[in-house]
Amino acid sequence: MRVILLGAPGAGKGTVAKLLTDFDGSVQISTGDILRGAVKAGTDLGKKAQGYMERGELVPDSLIMEIMEARLQEPDCKKGFILDGFPRTIPQADALKKLLQKLTLKLDLVVNLDVPKEVVLDRLTTRRTCSNADCQEIYNVKSKPPTADGKCKKCGSKVVQRDDETEEAITKRLLTYNEKTAPLIDYYKKEGFLKTISSTSSQEIVSGITAAIKGE
């Protein structure tokens, strides 16, 4: 399958993407992952991206698209891919459309995960992340707690609340999402790819996506 997942921060895109990879072997791709991967691999594109990241600047769309082009041509993408939280803006969507045409790849579906704001706030303010950069396991103090002394169950490192997951920071992120990313819903509706799923259950969302791809 070739799917784009849209949705506010905390809508569950990452969880749904992981479940979809189990369904048919498609790979999960997020811009954060491919940027970190390119930097770690020390590619020319990675070195360029690292410069922006170290300066605390946004990596330009043109460079993100170059890295995305390289990623989509890697062998594991032949089975399909799930774009987790990309594109984020209309210009990125336009650039992605041109890139897919260039690579003769066709999208199957764009899924908008419609989750109430109060659910998003609850999920993100209770989320904790392993501080080990090589682990980054995600926990939730309610549904998937770390150890009693706040350590990662996988690697034993300290588990922390990210700065961008306080209530104030999340509210700002949601405003940014509504301003810049939400317009993509109309964009893909006009393109004829959009399916909106209103559910807080990742399993229900996955079932809806797989049924839509099968044409059920």
Side-chain angles (χ1 to χ4, degrees):
M1 66 175 78
R2 298 187 188 115
V3 173
I4 292 172
L5 296 180
L6 300 177
K13 297 183 294 295
T15 303
V16 168
K18 282 186 177 69
L19 290 168
L20 287 171
T21 62
D22 293 337
F23 173 71
D24 74 346
S26 298
V27 292
Q28 176 186 6
I29 299 174
S30 75
T31 44
D33 288 343
I34 62 169
L35 286 171
R36 282 189 291 274
V39 169
K40 196 172 183 180
T43 65
D44 289 341
L45 293 173
K47 286 171 186 169
K48 284 185 194 174
Q50 189 173 17
Y52 286 99
M53 291 156 82
E54 285 176 349
R55 293 192 298 271
E57 298 172 14
L58 286 175
V59 178
D61 282 357
S62 56
L63 184 52
I64 288 174
M65 294 314 301
E66 283 186 71
I67 294 172
M68 184 65 77
E69 180 173 355
R71 180 68 185 91
L72 290 179
Q73 292 180 86
E74 288 178 21
D76 61 349
C77 285
K78 285 182 179 170
K79 285 186 177 179
F81 53 82
I82 299 127
L83 297 182
D84 167 10
F86 182 86
R88 291 175 186 261
T89 62
I90 300 291
Q92 285 184 353
D94 285 333
L96 179 63
K97 183 179 178 181
K98 287 174 187 166
L99 173 59
L100 293 176
Q101 286 170 346
K102 179 183 174 183
L103 299 177
T104 62
L105 296 172
K106 190 177 182 301
L107 275 179
D108 291 314
L109 199 62
V110 177
V111 183
N112 173 38
L113 307 185
D114 182 26
V115 177
K117 182 183 174 183
E118 60 272 18
V119 174
V120 167
L121 279 170
D122 182 63
R123 281 179 181 173
L124 292 184
T125 53
T126 54
R127 185 189 282 182
R128 300 293 182 268
T129 306
C130 175
S131 57
N132 178 355
D134 292 327
C135 178
Q136 301 252 297
E137 181 73 5
I138 302 291
Y139 293 92
N140 185 289
V141 294
K142 291 182 178 177
S143 58
K144 185 191 170 187
T147 63
D149 59 348
K151 299 283 176 65
C152 175
K153 290 180 178 177
K154 276 194 171 179
C155 73
S157 300
K158 188 180 177 186
V159 170
V160 297
Q161 181 177 35
R162 283 173 22 183
D163 290 341
D164 64 350
E165 289 178 350
T166 62
E167 189 160 347
E168 185 184 0
I170 293 159
T171 302
K172 282 183 184 172
R173 285 169 69 191
L174 291 174
L175 286 171
T176 302
Y177 172 78
N178 287 332
E179 182 186 314
K180 293 190 173 177
T181 309
L184 288 170
I185 295 166
D186 283 337
Y187 178 96
Y188 282 114
K189 195 181 284 182
K190 287 172 187 166
E191 293 277 312
F193 288 113
L194 189 79
K195 179 177 179 64
T196 293
I197 301 178
S198 301
S199 176
T200 56
S201 162
S202 299
Q203 206 62 59
E204 272 182 24
I205 293 166
V206 168
S207 297
I209 293 170
T210 53
I213 286 175
K214 289 175 186 172
E216 295 172 1

